[in-house]
Amino acid sequence: MKHTYLKHEPEYFAAVQSLSDADLTSFSSSDLEAVRVGVSAYGLHLFGKLRIPAMPESGPAYIHFRAFIGGDGHQEPGKAKLHSIHTEDKEEPDGGRTYRAIFTKEDPLEWFDT
């Protein structure tokens, strides 16, 4: 996961650069700390806040993801499929930009498109 972003904006994963891809993805369902669901005409959008166990809880240690569950008329109705992980590209007051894909416990889990 991280290795594909390193080709473009390595800042997205700066908080977890010391982790291997195996450590970064060593989570299980018990690491899912928050879930939200949004409804659209196409189906359900499932948002999750997943804790990365290899990271200390005191700092950035969470991935926000979106999965889609299609209804009737979709190839696999009722089956969740990963759509994206949240990546933030934020313009700072000084005109600079910050990028992140690893969030803190305090960052709310909200609807996102990217």
Side-chain angles (χ1 to χ4, degrees):
M1 171 170 50
K2 171 177 76 168
H3 61 276
T4 59
Y5 282 95
L6 292 177
K7 297 175 188 173
H8 306 287
E9 297 294 347
E11 295 91 348
Y12 281 120
F13 286 93
V16 293
Q17 286 302 335
S18 64
L19 296 183
S20 67
D21 277 355
D23 285 339
L24 180 60
T25 59
S26 67
F27 46 81
S28 70
S29 59
S30 65
D31 297 307
L32 186 62
E33 294 200 3
V35 174
R36 295 186 69 182
V37 177
V39 179
S40 74
Y42 308 107
L44 298 175
H45 300 268
L46 176 70
F47 296 86
K49 183 176 194 128
L50 190 61
R51 180 159 159 24
I52 303 166
M55 294 297 291
E57 230 178 292
S58 60
Y62 296 84
I63 293 175
H64 294 183
F65 70 88
R66 183 178 79 216
F68 178 71
I69 304 168
D72 294 340
H74 286 271
Q75 289 178 344
E76 297 180 87
K79 185 175 180 182
K81 181 178 180 182
L82 179 65
H83 245 211
S84 65
I85 61 166
H86 184 33
T87 56
E88 184 179 80
D89 174 354
K90 184 176 177 184
E91 187 171 352
E92 297 296 331
D94 65 1
R97 301 195 83 72
T98 57
Y99 304 92
R100 67 179 180 154
I102 310 300
F103 296 88
T104 67
K105 188 171 191 138
E106 291 76 30
D107 289 312
L109 178 60
E110 300 175 325
W111 183 285
F112 62 86
D113 293 318
T114 60

